[in-house]
mmCIF file of all heavy atoms in Angstrom:
data_model
loop_
_atom_site.group_PDB
_atom_site.id
_atom_site.type_symbol
_atom_site.label_atom_id
_atom_site.label_comp_id
_atom_site.label_asym_id
_atom_site.label_seq_id
_atom_site.Cartn_x
_atom_site.Cartn_y
_atom_site.Cartn_z
ATOM 1 N N ARG R 6 -1.794 -1.001 -13.013
ATOM 2 C CA ARG R 6 -2.426 -1.494 -14.249
ATOM 3 C C ARG R 6 -2.672 -2.990 -14.202
ATOM 4 O O ARG R 6 -3.700 -3.479 -14.669
ATOM 5 C CB ARG R 6 -1.557 -1.137 -15.447
ATOM 6 C CG ARG R 6 -1.562 0.338 -15.748
ATOM 7 C CD ARG R 6 -0.749 0.642 -16.972
ATOM 8 N NE ARG R 6 -0.716 2.068 -17.207
ATOM 9 C CZ ARG R 6 0.322 2.713 -17.675
ATOM 10 N NH1 ARG R 6 1.429 2.080 -17.973
ATOM 11 N NH2 ARG R 6 0.274 4.009 -17.869
ATOM 12 N N TYR R 7 -1.708 -3.726 -13.652
ATOM 13 C CA TYR R 7 -1.876 -5.175 -13.539
ATOM 14 C C TYR R 7 -3.030 -5.530 -12.608
ATOM 15 O O TYR R 7 -3.825 -6.421 -12.902
ATOM 16 C CB TYR R 7 -0.584 -5.837 -13.058
ATOM 17 C CG TYR R 7 0.549 -5.730 -14.049
ATOM 18 C CD1 TYR R 7 1.704 -5.042 -13.733
ATOM 19 C CD2 TYR R 7 0.452 -6.316 -15.311
ATOM 20 C CE1 TYR R 7 2.741 -4.941 -14.651
ATOM 21 C CE2 TYR R 7 1.478 -6.221 -16.225
ATOM 22 C CZ TYR R 7 2.623 -5.534 -15.894
ATOM 23 O OH TYR R 7 3.647 -5.433 -16.798
ATOM 24 N N ILE R 8 -3.112 -4.835 -11.496
ATOM 25 C CA ILE R 8 -4.200 -5.111 -10.546
ATOM 26 C C ILE R 8 -5.543 -4.736 -11.165
ATOM 27 O O ILE R 8 -6.517 -5.488 -11.051
ATOM 28 C CB ILE R 8 -3.964 -4.374 -9.211
ATOM 29 C CG1 ILE R 8 -2.714 -4.943 -8.526
ATOM 30 C CG2 ILE R 8 -5.179 -4.508 -8.300
ATOM 31 C CD1 ILE R 8 -2.253 -4.175 -7.318
ATOM 32 N N ASP R 9 -5.602 -3.586 -11.849
ATOM 33 C CA ASP R 9 -6.842 -3.200 -12.536
ATOM 34 C C ASP R 9 -7.248 -4.255 -13.557
ATOM 35 O O ASP R 9 -8.420 -4.590 -13.687
ATOM 36 C CB ASP R 9 -6.683 -1.844 -13.223
ATOM 37 C CG ASP R 9 -6.761 -0.673 -12.266
ATOM 38 O OD1 ASP R 9 -7.318 -0.850 -11.159
ATOM 39 O OD2 ASP R 9 -6.274 0.409 -12.631
ATOM 40 N N LYS R 10 -6.262 -4.764 -14.272
ATOM 41 C CA LYS R 10 -6.551 -5.778 -15.289
ATOM 42 C C LYS R 10 -7.063 -7.072 -14.645
ATOM 43 O O LYS R 10 -8.043 -7.655 -15.104
ATOM 44 C CB LYS R 10 -5.287 -6.050 -16.107
ATOM 45 C CG LYS R 10 -5.519 -6.914 -17.313
ATOM 46 C CD LYS R 10 -4.258 -6.986 -18.165
ATOM 47 C CE LYS R 10 -4.518 -7.767 -19.428
ATOM 48 N NZ LYS R 10 -3.323 -7.787 -20.293
ATOM 49 N N LEU R 11 -6.412 -7.498 -13.577
ATOM 50 C CA LEU R 11 -6.827 -8.733 -12.906
ATOM 51 C C LEU R 11 -8.227 -8.626 -12.310
ATOM 52 O O LEU R 11 -8.968 -9.610 -12.269
ATOM 53 C CB LEU R 11 -5.829 -9.104 -11.808
ATOM 54 C CG LEU R 11 -4.481 -9.636 -12.280
ATOM 55 C CD1 LEU R 11 -3.520 -9.751 -11.103
ATOM 56 C CD2 LEU R 11 -4.650 -10.981 -12.975
ATOM 57 N N THR R 12 -8.581 -7.428 -11.820
ATOM 58 C CA THR R 12 -9.894 -7.261 -11.190
ATOM 59 C C THR R 12 -10.971 -6.848 -12.186
ATOM 60 O O THR R 12 -12.121 -6.656 -11.806
ATOM 61 C CB THR R 12 -9.817 -6.236 -10.044
ATOM 62 O OG1 THR R 12 -9.313 -5.005 -10.549
ATOM 63 C CG2 THR R 12 -8.940 -6.737 -8.917
ATOM 64 N N SER R 13 -10.610 -6.734 -13.460
ATOM 65 C CA SER R 13 -11.590 -6.362 -14.477
ATOM 66 C C SER R 13 -12.563 -7.521 -14.727
ATOM 67 O O SER R 13 -12.346 -8.651 -14.267
ATOM 68 C CB SER R 13 -10.884 -6.001 -15.782
ATOM 69 O OG SER R 13 -10.316 -7.170 -16.357
ATOM 70 N N ASP R 14 -13.610 -7.240 -15.456
ATOM 71 C CA ASP R 14 -14.596 -8.279 -15.789
ATOM 72 C C ASP R 14 -13.975 -9.409 -16.607
ATOM 73 O O ASP R 14 -14.408 -10.552 -16.527
ATOM 74 C CB ASP R 14 -15.767 -7.670 -16.567
ATOM 75 C CG ASP R 14 -16.625 -6.763 -15.701
ATOM 76 O OD1 ASP R 14 -16.585 -6.930 -14.464
ATOM 77 O OD2 ASP R 14 -17.313 -5.884 -16.255
ATOM 78 N N LYS R 15 -12.952 -9.082 -17.379
ATOM 79 C CA LYS R 15 -12.310 -10.094 -18.227
ATOM 80 C C LYS R 15 -11.686 -11.209 -17.392
ATOM 81 O O LYS R 15 -11.828 -12.382 -17.702
ATOM 82 C CB LYS R 15 -11.254 -9.436 -19.111
ATOM 83 C CG LYS R 15 -10.571 -10.396 -20.050
ATOM 84 C CD LYS R 15 -9.587 -9.689 -20.958
ATOM 85 C CE LYS R 15 -8.905 -10.659 -21.891
ATOM 86 N NZ LYS R 15 -7.925 -9.993 -22.757
ATOM 87 N N TYR R 16 -10.963 -10.852 -16.319
ATOM 88 C CA TYR R 16 -10.295 -11.848 -15.495
ATOM 89 C C TYR R 16 -11.062 -12.173 -14.229
ATOM 90 O O TYR R 16 -11.016 -13.292 -13.740
ATOM 91 C CB TYR R 16 -8.873 -11.401 -15.158
ATOM 92 C CG TYR R 16 -8.000 -11.337 -16.393
ATOM 93 C CD1 TYR R 16 -7.781 -10.137 -17.055
ATOM 94 C CD2 TYR R 16 -7.418 -12.483 -16.907
ATOM 95 C CE1 TYR R 16 -7.000 -10.081 -18.194
ATOM 96 C CE2 TYR R 16 -6.638 -12.441 -18.043
ATOM 97 C CZ TYR R 16 -6.427 -11.231 -18.691
ATOM 98 O OH TYR R 16 -5.662 -11.181 -19.816
ATOM 99 N N GLY R 17 -11.713 -11.192 -13.647
ATOM 100 C CA GLY R 17 -12.640 -11.431 -12.553
ATOM 101 C C GLY R 17 -12.059 -11.766 -11.191
ATOM 102 O O GLY R 17 -12.773 -12.302 -10.342
ATOM 103 N N TYR R 18 -10.798 -11.477 -10.954
ATOM 104 C CA TYR R 18 -10.238 -11.723 -9.627
ATOM 105 C C TYR R 18 -10.754 -10.676 -8.646
ATOM 106 O O TYR R 18 -11.003 -9.537 -9.009
ATOM 107 C CB TYR R 18 -8.708 -11.651 -9.655
ATOM 108 C CG TYR R 18 -8.049 -12.848 -10.309
ATOM 109 C CD1 TYR R 18 -7.667 -12.801 -11.642
ATOM 110 C CD2 TYR R 18 -7.812 -14.006 -9.589
ATOM 111 C CE1 TYR R 18 -7.062 -13.883 -12.245
ATOM 112 C CE2 TYR R 18 -7.209 -15.101 -10.186
ATOM 113 C CZ TYR R 18 -6.835 -15.031 -11.514
ATOM 114 O OH TYR R 18 -6.239 -16.108 -12.107
ATOM 115 N N THR R 19 -10.878 -11.075 -7.402
ATOM 116 C CA THR R 19 -11.252 -10.121 -6.353
ATOM 117 C C THR R 19 -9.970 -9.496 -5.803
ATOM 118 O O THR R 19 -8.862 -9.999 -6.029
ATOM 119 C CB THR R 19 -11.993 -10.819 -5.195
ATOM 120 O OG1 THR R 19 -11.092 -11.722 -4.560
ATOM 121 C CG2 THR R 19 -13.235 -11.549 -5.683
ATOM 122 N N TYR R 20 -10.125 -8.416 -5.058
ATOM 123 C CA TYR R 20 -8.963 -7.782 -4.441
ATOM 124 C C TYR R 20 -8.311 -8.714 -3.422
ATOM 125 O O TYR R 20 -7.092 -8.707 -3.252
ATOM 126 C CB TYR R 20 -9.351 -6.450 -3.797
ATOM 127 C CG TYR R 20 -9.657 -5.391 -4.822
ATOM 128 C CD1 TYR R 20 -10.972 -5.013 -5.099
ATOM 129 C CD2 TYR R 20 -8.647 -4.756 -5.525
ATOM 130 C CE1 TYR R 20 -11.249 -4.040 -6.043
ATOM 131 C CE2 TYR R 20 -8.919 -3.783 -6.480
ATOM 132 C CZ TYR R 20 -10.217 -3.434 -6.734
ATOM 133 O OH TYR R 20 -10.490 -2.477 -7.681
ATOM 134 N N ASP R 21 -9.109 -9.529 -2.760
ATOM 135 C CA ASP R 21 -8.549 -10.490 -1.808
ATOM 136 C C ASP R 21 -7.711 -11.553 -2.520
ATOM 137 O O ASP R 21 -6.661 -11.962 -2.022
ATOM 138 C CB ASP R 21 -9.658 -11.165 -0.991
ATOM 139 C CG ASP R 21 -10.289 -10.207 0.011
ATOM 140 O OD1 ASP R 21 -9.572 -9.303 0.500
ATOM 141 O OD2 ASP R 21 -11.489 -10.359 0.297
ATOM 142 N N GLU R 22 -8.155 -11.976 -3.694
ATOM 143 C CA GLU R 22 -7.373 -12.941 -4.471
ATOM 144 C C GLU R 22 -6.064 -12.323 -4.955
ATOM 145 O O GLU R 22 -5.011 -12.969 -4.936
ATOM 146 C CB GLU R 22 -8.200 -13.459 -5.648
ATOM 147 C CG GLU R 22 -9.350 -14.345 -5.219
ATOM 148 C CD GLU R 22 -10.321 -14.662 -6.346
ATOM 149 O OE1 GLU R 22 -10.503 -13.813 -7.252
ATOM 150 O OE2 GLU R 22 -10.900 -15.766 -6.307
ATOM 151 N N VAL R 23 -6.123 -11.069 -5.372
ATOM 152 C CA VAL R 23 -4.905 -10.363 -5.777
ATOM 153 C C VAL R 23 -3.973 -10.233 -4.571
ATOM 154 O O VAL R 23 -2.756 -10.395 -4.699
ATOM 155 C CB VAL R 23 -5.246 -8.976 -6.379
ATOM 156 C CG1 VAL R 23 -3.989 -8.160 -6.622
ATOM 157 C CG2 VAL R 23 -6.042 -9.132 -7.668
ATOM 158 N N SER R 24 -4.541 -9.970 -3.402
ATOM 159 C CA SER R 24 -3.757 -9.876 -2.174
ATOM 160 C C SER R 24 -2.993 -11.172 -1.919
ATOM 161 O O SER R 24 -1.809 -11.150 -1.557
ATOM 162 C CB SER R 24 -4.674 -9.566 -0.995
ATOM 163 O OG SER R 24 -3.979 -9.659 0.214
ATOM 164 N N GLU R 25 -3.644 -12.291 -2.127
ATOM 165 C CA GLU R 25 -2.991 -13.595 -1.948
ATOM 166 C C GLU R 25 -1.859 -13.781 -2.948
ATOM 167 O O GLU R 25 -0.798 -14.320 -2.609
ATOM 168 C CB GLU R 25 -4.014 -14.731 -2.070
ATOM 169 C CG GLU R 25 -4.998 -14.800 -0.918
ATOM 170 C CD GLU R 25 -4.314 -15.057 0.411
ATOM 171 O OE1 GLU R 25 -3.388 -15.897 0.482
ATOM 172 O OE2 GLU R 25 -4.698 -14.404 1.404
ATOM 173 N N MET R 26 -2.073 -13.333 -4.180
ATOM 174 C CA MET R 26 -1.012 -13.431 -5.188
ATOM 175 C C MET R 26 0.191 -12.591 -4.783
ATOM 176 O O MET R 26 1.339 -13.009 -4.948
ATOM 177 C CB MET R 26 -1.529 -12.942 -6.546
ATOM 178 C CG MET R 26 -2.551 -13.813 -7.197
ATOM 179 S SD MET R 26 -3.068 -13.039 -8.731
ATOM 180 C CE MET R 26 -4.648 -13.802 -8.975
ATOM 181 N N LEU R 27 -0.072 -11.409 -4.268
ATOM 182 C CA LEU R 27 1.011 -10.507 -3.869
ATOM 183 C C LEU R 27 1.771 -11.044 -2.659
ATOM 184 O O LEU R 27 2.980 -10.820 -2.534
ATOM 185 C CB LEU R 27 0.460 -9.109 -3.577
ATOM 186 C CG LEU R 27 -0.066 -8.343 -4.793
ATOM 187 C CD1 LEU R 27 -0.710 -7.037 -4.350
ATOM 188 C CD2 LEU R 27 1.046 -8.091 -5.790
ATOM 189 N N LYS R 28 1.081 -11.771 -1.782
ATOM 190 C CA LYS R 28 1.764 -12.373 -0.631
ATOM 191 C C LYS R 28 2.849 -13.329 -1.100
ATOM 192 O O LYS R 28 3.902 -13.442 -0.472
ATOM 193 C CB LYS R 28 0.764 -13.106 0.267
ATOM 194 C CG LYS R 28 -0.020 -12.179 1.154
ATOM 195 C CD LYS R 28 -0.965 -12.941 2.060
ATOM 196 C CE LYS R 28 -1.839 -11.941 2.805
ATOM 197 N NZ LYS R 28 -2.874 -12.621 3.581
ATOM 198 N N GLY R 29 2.601 -13.994 -2.217
ATOM 199 C CA GLY R 29 3.610 -14.883 -2.796
ATOM 200 C C GLY R 29 4.858 -14.134 -3.243
ATOM 201 O O GLY R 29 5.938 -14.707 -3.361
ATOM 202 N N LEU R 30 4.707 -12.838 -3.478
ATOM 203 C CA LEU R 30 5.842 -11.999 -3.872
ATOM 204 C C LEU R 30 6.425 -11.237 -2.682
ATOM 205 O O LEU R 30 7.297 -10.394 -2.848
ATOM 206 C CB LEU R 30 5.396 -11.000 -4.945
ATOM 207 C CG LEU R 30 4.866 -11.596 -6.245
ATOM 208 C CD1 LEU R 30 4.288 -10.510 -7.134
ATOM 209 C CD2 LEU R 30 5.979 -12.339 -6.958
ATOM 210 N N GLY R 31 5.887 -11.506 -1.488
ATOM 211 C CA GLY R 31 6.386 -10.857 -0.287
ATOM 212 C C GLY R 31 5.751 -9.503 0.001
ATOM 213 O O GLY R 31 6.262 -8.736 0.808
ATOM 214 N N ILE R 32 4.626 -9.207 -0.656
ATOM 215 C CA ILE R 32 3.924 -7.935 -0.434
ATOM 216 C C ILE R 32 2.700 -8.215 0.427
ATOM 217 O O ILE R 32 1.793 -8.925 0.012
ATOM 218 C CB ILE R 32 3.513 -7.284 -1.773
ATOM 219 C CG1 ILE R 32 4.767 -7.033 -2.624
ATOM 220 C CG2 ILE R 32 2.738 -5.999 -1.533
ATOM 221 C CD1 ILE R 32 4.482 -6.593 -4.031
ATOM 222 N N GLN R 33 2.695 -7.669 1.632
ATOM 223 C CA GLN R 33 1.623 -7.921 2.592
ATOM 224 C C GLN R 33 0.600 -6.786 2.578
ATOM 225 O O GLN R 33 0.758 -5.794 3.275
ATOM 226 C CB GLN R 33 2.210 -8.066 4.001
ATOM 227 C CG GLN R 33 3.223 -9.174 4.137
ATOM 228 C CD GLN R 33 2.593 -10.549 4.019
ATOM 229 O OE1 GLN R 33 1.487 -10.786 4.490
ATOM 230 N NE2 GLN R 33 3.309 -11.459 3.382
ATOM 231 N N LEU R 34 -0.418 -6.907 1.763
ATOM 232 C CA LEU R 34 -1.513 -5.932 1.718
ATOM 233 C C LEU R 34 -2.829 -6.690 1.678
ATOM 234 O O LEU R 34 -2.962 -7.674 0.954
ATOM 235 C CB LEU R 34 -1.426 -5.059 0.459
ATOM 236 C CG LEU R 34 -0.313 -4.034 0.368
ATOM 237 C CD1 LEU R 34 -0.277 -3.418 -1.017
ATOM 238 C CD2 LEU R 34 -0.500 -2.956 1.414
ATOM 239 N N SER R 35 -3.806 -6.206 2.435
ATOM 240 C CA SER R 35 -5.122 -6.841 2.394
ATOM 241 C C SER R 35 -5.849 -6.391 1.125
ATOM 242 O O SER R 35 -5.497 -5.380 0.506
ATOM 243 C CB SER R 35 -5.937 -6.443 3.624
ATOM 244 O OG SER R 35 -6.255 -5.058 3.564
ATOM 245 N N GLY R 36 -6.865 -7.128 0.757
ATOM 246 C CA GLY R 36 -7.661 -6.770 -0.409
ATOM 247 C C GLY R 36 -8.310 -5.407 -0.266
ATOM 248 O O GLY R 36 -8.326 -4.609 -1.214
ATOM 249 N N SER R 37 -8.815 -5.104 0.923
ATOM 250 C CA SER R 37 -9.468 -3.813 1.140
ATOM 251 C C SER R 37 -8.455 -2.668 1.060
ATOM 252 O O SER R 37 -8.759 -1.584 0.565
ATOM 253 C CB SER R 37 -10.204 -3.783 2.475
ATOM 254 O OG SER R 37 -9.306 -4.012 3.539
ATOM 255 N N ARG R 38 -7.225 -2.920 1.521
ATOM 256 C CA ARG R 38 -6.183 -1.886 1.458
ATOM 257 C C ARG R 38 -5.778 -1.620 0.002
ATOM 258 O O ARG R 38 -5.564 -0.477 -0.396
ATOM 259 C CB ARG R 38 -4.973 -2.326 2.279
ATOM 260 C CG ARG R 38 -3.898 -1.287 2.360
ATOM 261 C CD ARG R 38 -4.354 -0.137 3.225
ATOM 262 N NE ARG R 38 -3.265 0.817 3.347
ATOM 263 C CZ ARG R 38 -3.420 2.071 3.700
ATOM 264 N NH1 ARG R 38 -4.612 2.524 4.016
ATOM 265 N NH2 ARG R 38 -2.411 2.872 3.767
ATOM 266 N N ILE R 39 -5.682 -2.662 -0.791
ATOM 267 C CA ILE R 39 -5.357 -2.503 -2.218
ATOM 268 C C ILE R 39 -6.440 -1.671 -2.895
ATOM 269 O O ILE R 39 -6.144 -0.737 -3.646
ATOM 270 C CB ILE R 39 -5.228 -3.878 -2.907
ATOM 271 C CG1 ILE R 39 -4.008 -4.623 -2.374
ATOM 272 C CG2 ILE R 39 -5.132 -3.724 -4.426
ATOM 273 C CD1 ILE R 39 -3.931 -6.066 -2.803
ATOM 274 N N LYS R 40 -7.687 -2.004 -2.622
ATOM 275 C CA LYS R 40 -8.804 -1.276 -3.229
ATOM 276 C C LYS R 40 -8.765 0.199 -2.821
ATOM 277 O O LYS R 40 -8.943 1.090 -3.657
ATOM 278 C CB LYS R 40 -10.130 -1.909 -2.792
ATOM 279 C CG LYS R 40 -11.330 -1.334 -3.476
ATOM 280 C CD LYS R 40 -12.588 -2.104 -3.106
ATOM 281 C CE LYS R 40 -13.789 -1.537 -3.835
ATOM 282 N NZ LYS R 40 -14.994 -2.294 -3.530
ATOM 283 N N TYR R 41 -8.502 0.473 -1.552
ATOM 284 C CA TYR R 41 -8.428 1.850 -1.062
ATOM 285 C C TYR R 41 -7.286 2.607 -1.740
ATOM 286 O O TYR R 41 -7.454 3.735 -2.210
ATOM 287 C CB TYR R 41 -8.228 1.859 0.456
ATOM 288 C CG TYR R 41 -7.862 3.215 0.997
ATOM 289 C CD1 TYR R 41 -8.829 4.195 1.167
ATOM 290 C CD2 TYR R 41 -6.545 3.519 1.313
ATOM 291 C CE1 TYR R 41 -8.488 5.453 1.647
ATOM 292 C CE2 TYR R 41 -6.203 4.764 1.794
ATOM 293 C CZ TYR R 41 -7.173 5.736 1.952
ATOM 294 O OH TYR R 41 -6.839 6.976 2.412
ATOM 295 N N LEU R 42 -6.105 1.998 -1.787
ATOM 296 C CA LEU R 42 -4.944 2.668 -2.372
ATOM 297 C C LEU R 42 -5.142 2.960 -3.858
ATOM 298 O O LEU R 42 -4.770 4.033 -4.343
ATOM 299 C CB LEU R 42 -3.683 1.823 -2.160
ATOM 300 C CG LEU R 42 -3.208 1.713 -0.712
ATOM 301 C CD1 LEU R 42 -2.081 0.682 -0.596
ATOM 302 C CD2 LEU R 42 -2.753 3.061 -0.195
ATOM 303 N N LEU R 43 -5.732 2.039 -4.582
ATOM 304 C CA LEU R 43 -5.999 2.277 -6.004
ATOM 305 C C LEU R 43 -7.003 3.401 -6.184
ATOM 306 O O LEU R 43 -6.869 4.221 -7.097
ATOM 307 C CB LEU R 43 -6.497 1.002 -6.683
ATOM 308 C CG LEU R 43 -5.467 -0.099 -6.853
ATOM 309 C CD1 LEU R 43 -6.102 -1.334 -7.477
ATOM 310 C CD2 LEU R 43 -4.297 0.365 -7.685
ATOM 311 N N GLY R 44 -7.998 3.467 -5.312
ATOM 312 C CA GLY R 44 -8.969 4.555 -5.366
ATOM 313 C C GLY R 44 -8.316 5.901 -5.119
ATOM 314 O O GLY R 44 -8.617 6.890 -5.799
ATOM 315 N N GLU R 45 -7.392 5.952 -4.170
ATOM 316 C CA GLU R 45 -6.670 7.193 -3.884
ATOM 317 C C GLU R 45 -5.819 7.610 -5.075
ATOM 318 O O GLU R 45 -5.754 8.787 -5.415
ATOM 319 C CB GLU R 45 -5.786 7.030 -2.641
ATOM 320 C CG GLU R 45 -6.566 6.976 -1.352
ATOM 321 C CD GLU R 45 -7.317 8.270 -1.075
ATOM 322 O OE1 GLU R 45 -6.701 9.335 -1.078
ATOM 323 O OE2 GLU R 45 -8.540 8.194 -0.871
ATOM 324 N N LEU R 46 -5.163 6.655 -5.704
ATOM 325 C CA LEU R 46 -4.361 6.968 -6.888
ATOM 326 C C LEU R 46 -5.224 7.543 -8.005
ATOM 327 O O LEU R 46 -4.844 8.507 -8.663
ATOM 328 C CB LEU R 46 -3.656 5.713 -7.403
ATOM 329 C CG LEU R 46 -2.411 5.282 -6.665
ATOM 330 C CD1 LEU R 46 -1.940 3.926 -7.173
ATOM 331 C CD2 LEU R 46 -1.313 6.306 -6.824
ATOM 332 N N LYS R 47 -6.375 6.935 -8.210
ATOM 333 C CA LYS R 47 -7.269 7.412 -9.264
ATOM 334 C C LYS R 47 -7.774 8.817 -8.960
ATOM 335 O O LYS R 47 -7.852 9.663 -9.851
ATOM 336 C CB LYS R 47 -8.441 6.456 -9.456
ATOM 337 C CG LYS R 47 -8.026 5.161 -10.108
ATOM 338 C CD LYS R 47 -9.176 4.197 -10.231
ATOM 339 C CE LYS R 47 -8.701 2.876 -10.803
ATOM 340 N NZ LYS R 47 -9.760 1.891 -10.894
ATOM 341 N N LYS R 48 -8.095 9.093 -7.696
ATOM 342 C CA LYS R 48 -8.554 10.432 -7.317
ATOM 343 C C LYS R 48 -7.464 11.462 -7.578
ATOM 344 O O LYS R 48 -7.716 12.524 -8.137
ATOM 345 C CB LYS R 48 -8.954 10.481 -5.840
ATOM 346 C CG LYS R 48 -10.342 10.005 -5.555
ATOM 347 C CD LYS R 48 -10.818 10.445 -4.190
ATOM 348 C CE LYS R 48 -10.022 9.874 -3.064
ATOM 349 N NZ LYS R 48 -10.608 10.089 -1.745
ATOM 350 N N ASN R 49 -6.252 11.147 -7.144
ATOM 351 C CA ASN R 49 -5.144 12.086 -7.319
ATOM 352 C C ASN R 49 -4.830 12.307 -8.792
ATOM 353 O O ASN R 49 -4.511 13.421 -9.197
ATOM 354 C CB ASN R 49 -3.898 11.593 -6.584
ATOM 355 C CG ASN R 49 -4.055 11.673 -5.088
ATOM 356 O OD1 ASN R 49 -4.833 12.469 -4.577
ATOM 357 N ND2 ASN R 49 -3.317 10.856 -4.372
#
């Protein structure tokens, strides 16, 4: 939900920018991987 909110039109962050934020928390995921994983979650 947080990632969806950040990438929404309201906030406008890209998945790569979110990826950089997550690196600060010790989570190593690329922007494209985040986008793919969220898409899989939505499909399921």
Side-chain angles (χ1 to χ4, degrees):
R6 289 183 183 144
Y7 294 117
I8 294 171
D9 283 339
K10 189 173 184 177
L11 287 171
T12 57
S13 69
D14 290 338
K15 182 177 180 181
Y16 294 98
Y18 286 96
T19 65
Y20 289 104
D21 289 329
E22 291 170 328
V23 172
S24 172
E25 290 298 318
M26 291 178 202
L27 292 174
K28 281 182 187 174
L30 299 172
I32 301 171
Q33 301 291 323
L34 289 172
S35 68
S37 60
R38 184 71 177 160
I39 293 170
K40 186 174 182 178
Y41 168 78
L42 292 171
L43 290 177
E45 288 297 306
L46 281 172
K47 288 177 184 178
K48 277 197 297 191
N49 290 335

